[in-house]
Amino acid sequence: MPGASLTESPASRLATSSLALGGGVLTAALVVIGAYAGSDVAAYAVLATGLALAWGWPLLLGLPRPTGTSLVLAAACLGMAGVVVFSGDDDGMQALSVVLAGGLVLAFLHQLVRTDGREDLTVSLAGCSFGLVLLASGMFSAGAAPYDQGDAAVAVAIGAAALGLLADAVLPEQHAVEWSWPVSVLLGVLVGLVVGLVTGDLSLNILLLTGLVAGFAGAAIRRVLRLLDTDDPAGRLSYGIAAVLSTGVLAYAAQYLINR
């Protein structure tokens, strides 16, 4: 199976891929709607998109033994969702660190049972760890949902990342790289402004800040990942999902600032 390659093209095929764009937009829609419906629904939304990410992530990064890495990520995603769903009144975010640590243990065990000489061991571990962080970030958005204005925080953090993904797909090819950052930040601030005005003045400043940081963080993640190039449909799909889930932790931070 051919691995991912690096590309110097300003307009990466990943950035303009319909699969990446569709995966990111669908992920954002499911997570935001789930947040307004309740933390359990949001957790199931992140679980569904997280499993799709687990499937394509090692193919996007060109990791050796992709099936084992996908299984590790899928098991961690199931554990994270279970923490949120069965935590009751507590959002379960403290226990999420235990699941994340367990995922890292599984990642190391996967390397121990490999029979190919453990080629690219460091790259494989780093790629799996990166995937675990993205899944945890997405699940933090589900953890934010039950709090007062947590759904608004999710809408801003996730919405800003999705709009940045859309912007990358329509920006002129010759300016795609240099315009991605400012356009993404501007869109994030606009999302924060709109949601903040609808929600109420008390949280406006925090939601504006959340949109700004989410726009910047989403652009940073996309800037790193779009250097990769893969023809695998699952890999392209995982790019869009990863770009959106990467800002989920900012929703949890926003609700904490709102409710402190």
Side-chain angles (χ1 to χ4, degrees):
M1 182 179 297
S5 59
L6 294 178
T7 177
E8 296 296 331
S9 173
S12 166
R13 292 192 298 164
L14 275 175
T16 57
S17 167
S18 58
L19 272 172
L21 189 60
V25 172
L26 180 60
T27 296
L30 289 174
V31 175
V32 172
I33 293 173
Y36 279 96
S39 60
D40 286 2
V41 180
Y44 290 130
V46 176
L47 173 61
T49 56
L51 290 177
L53 173 66
W55 171 40
W57 184 249
L59 303 176
L60 172 64
L61 271 60
L63 301 180
R65 298 287 181 173
T67 301
T69 301
S70 291
L71 289 175
V72 169
L73 294 175
C77 190
L78 284 167
M80 293 175 189
V83 163
V84 176
V85 171
F86 296 109
S87 59
D89 294 334
D90 184 10
D91 61 24
M93 291 301 101
Q94 292 181 342
L96 190 68
S97 60
V98 177
V99 178
L100 189 57
L104 288 172
V105 171
L106 288 177
F108 278 95
L109 288 176
H110 169 231
Q111 302 304 320
L112 289 175
V113 300
R114 283 175 56 185
T115 58
D116 59 352
R118 300 188 185 92
E119 181 183 359
D120 296 326
L121 174 63
T122 303
V123 172
S124 183
L125 280 172
C128 188
S129 299
F130 190 12
L132 289 170
V133 170
L134 291 172
L135 291 173
S137 178
M139 203 58 70
F140 264 100
S141 64
Y147 291 95
D148 182 33
Q149 299 189 21
D151 45 11
V154 173
V156 173
I158 297 296
L163 287 178
L165 187 67
L166 282 167
D168 279 0
V170 301
L171 284 173
E173 179 177 349
Q174 62 272 27
H175 300 297
V177 175
E178 61 265 31
W179 285 10
S180 177
W181 295 85
V183 170
S184 297
V185 170
L186 177 60
L187 290 173
V189 171
L190 288 176
V191 172
L193 177 62
V194 172
V195 176
L197 290 174
V198 172
T199 303
D201 293 338
L202 292 178
S203 59
L204 177 58
N205 291 339
I206 294 174
L207 293 178
L208 278 173
L209 179 61
T210 302
L212 186 151
V213 177
F216 184 86
I221 293 294
R222 296 194 307 274
R223 181 68 178 271
V224 172
L225 294 180
R226 69 187 288 170
L227 293 174
L228 301 169
D229 193 17
T230 179
D231 292 320
D232 192 279
R236 294 189 172 195
L237 182 67
S238 68
Y239 167 79
I241 297 172
V244 171
L245 293 184
S246 63
T247 58
V249 68
L250 298 175
Y252 193 84
Q255 69 77 22
Y256 173 79
L257 293 175
I258 292 172
N259 295 294
R260 62 176 178 174

